[in-house]
Amino acid sequence: MTQTAVKVRGLTKRYREVRAVDGIDLTIAEGEVFAILGPNGAGKSTTVEILEGYRRRDAGEVSVLGVDPAHPTRQWRDRIGIVLQTANDTAELTVRETVRHFAGYYPTAGDPDEVIARVGLTEQAGKRIRQLSGGQRRRVDVALGIVGRPRLLFLDEPTTGFDPEARRRFWELIEDLARDGTTIVLTTHYLDEAEALANRVAVIAQGRIVAEGRPATLGGRASAKATVSWLEGGERRRVETGAPTETIVELSGRLGGEIPELTVTRPSLEDVYMNLIAEVPR
Ligand code: ADP
Ligand code: MG
């Protein structure tokens, strides 16, 4: 039986007249990589910060590794890793000093140099934090999130400001942690990131979940019509169909075998996402 890592029912949070989180339900199993996707201001950080015990909720039930984060215990904190959207820097310390310092907070911390290697900062280990680029600083944040070897890791927009190579390396790190059994909850506004990493995705807009599921099937994506496109008589032809295989067999018969420049496409995660976001009334 799979254990539940996170369970949320009817979560709400207002800032004066703003309903930042407006009745969210979530269930995340242990070992899952779960992505919370949504535009700026959707309520991603507020939700995650409540789960982390960083922010008070107005209403709703929340259980994170069996504990209400509004009443955290020391033991519970030791099992949670946190990468906030905007982190506090220890600008004058070196990378190694910073990671060592934070390792001291945890009873079963990982080896600081190993953690530094894992986030790809071995060459920068002796540098002061203020000398690092934005992307490198972000990797320090991630190192501090994982140094306590958490069972559950929260990452709030971890790759904002990364170049494509750093993002790929970060993805590998997440896959690596997930293989070790770490449950991962990350927010992102990058669709490719959610698609590459997450077993499941919740799209939130205006404080509400507007869709939830596997990236491949989100918003009816898998059952959406396919577009079959090919070249015929020097012209590009296109049909939308619920039965692309049938269309291709028929085409192949008509065109005598190979179909020139054949492509079959379904809506991308981005197409689905844009539709979901557009449907939310303001
Ligand atoms: P996201 O992380 O998805 O960008 P946030 O959770 O940061 O969204 O914000 C959700 C809404 O709550 C936004 O309208 C934001 O302006 C508002 N908000 C967030 N934090 C505060 C705060 N400390 N005080 C007042 N309003 C806030
Ligand atoms: Mg945010």
Side-chain angles (χ1 to χ4, degrees):
M1 204 186 85
T2 44
Q3 302 280 329
T4 302
V6 174
K7 189 165 180 180
V8 172
R9 290 290 172 271
L11 181 64
T12 65
K13 173 74 180 179
R14 282 177 182 232
Y15 304 103
R16 295 171 186 273
E17 72 282 6
V18 179
R19 289 166 185 261
V21 179
D22 194 13
I24 279 184
D25 296 338
L26 277 179
T27 304
I28 302 170
E30 282 214 21
E32 269 197 301
V33 179
F34 192 91
I36 300 175
L37 260 176
N40 283 333
K44 301 183 295 297
S45 291
T46 302
T47 301
V48 166
E49 285 169 10
I50 290 167
L51 302 184
E52 294 167 343
Y54 257 74
R55 218 174 263 280
R56 295 256 157 197
R57 61 189 186 265
D58 293 338
E61 288 165 37
V62 181
S63 170
V64 175
L65 297 182
V67 169
D68 182 342
H71 306 285
T73 62
R74 177 65 209 258
Q75 252 188 345
W76 179 79
R77 283 204 191 286
D78 289 344
R79 287 148 70 203
I80 306 265
I82 294 176
V83 178
L84 295 172
Q85 186 166 359
T86 45
N88 300 314
D89 282 337
T90 51
E92 293 306 319
L93 295 183
T94 67
V95 171
R96 187 177 288 112
E97 285 165 347
T98 304
V99 176
R100 280 197 183 148
H101 177 74
F102 276 80
Y105 289 139
Y106 297 93
T108 57
D111 173 62
D113 286 325
E114 224 166 84
V115 171
I116 289 166
R118 235 175 161 182
V119 299
L121 286 176
T122 299
E123 279 174 36
Q124 289 78 27
K127 277 197 181 174
R128 292 184 199 288
I129 304 276
R130 65 170 160 77
Q131 296 171 302
L132 303 180
S133 72
Q136 289 170 339
R137 282 184 186 214
R138 201 64 184 136
R139 283 190 260 161
V140 175
D141 296 337
V142 175
L144 301 183
I146 65 172
V147 72
R149 296 200 291 173
R151 260 176 65 195
L152 170 59
L153 177 63
F154 292 103
L155 303 131
D156 197 356
E157 297 200 13
T159 62
T160 299
F162 280 23
D163 61 35
E165 198 210 329
R167 173 164 296 141
R168 287 291 160 144
R169 267 208 268 159
F170 171 81
W171 291 1
E172 284 168 18
L173 170 64
I174 294 299
E175 285 162 4
D176 203 32
L177 291 167
R179 256 195 305 277
D180 290 349
T182 313
T183 307
I184 291 163
V185 178
L186 81 150
T187 75
T188 184
H189 52 235
Y190 297 117
L191 293 138
D192 58 342
E193 188 155 290
E195 191 155 37
L197 294 179
N199 309 117
R200 275 195 311 133
V201 176
V203 177
I204 76 173
Q206 313 263 328
R208 294 188 189 182
I209 294 182
V210 295
E212 194 184 336
R214 289 190 297 120
T217 57
L218 199 76
R221 196 178 160 200
S223 53
K225 284 194 173 165
T227 303
V228 177
S229 166
W230 71 99
L231 204 65
E232 190 177 343
E235 259 179 71
R236 177 140 298 273
R237 308 285 181 93
R238 233 176 232 105
V239 294
E240 271 204 2
T241 170
T245 309
E246 209 170 286
T247 305
I248 290 164
V249 169
E250 190 191 293
L251 267 174
S252 175
R254 185 151 58 80
L255 300 175
E258 201 56 35
I259 307 164
E261 296 187 22
L262 171 70
T263 62
V264 183
T265 54
R266 295 198 192 263
S268 67
L269 186 56
E270 184 164 336
D271 295 334
V272 170
Y273 174 80
M274 288 303 175
N275 285 334
L276 287 167
I277 298 304
E279 282 164 14
V280 180
R282 301 254 154 203

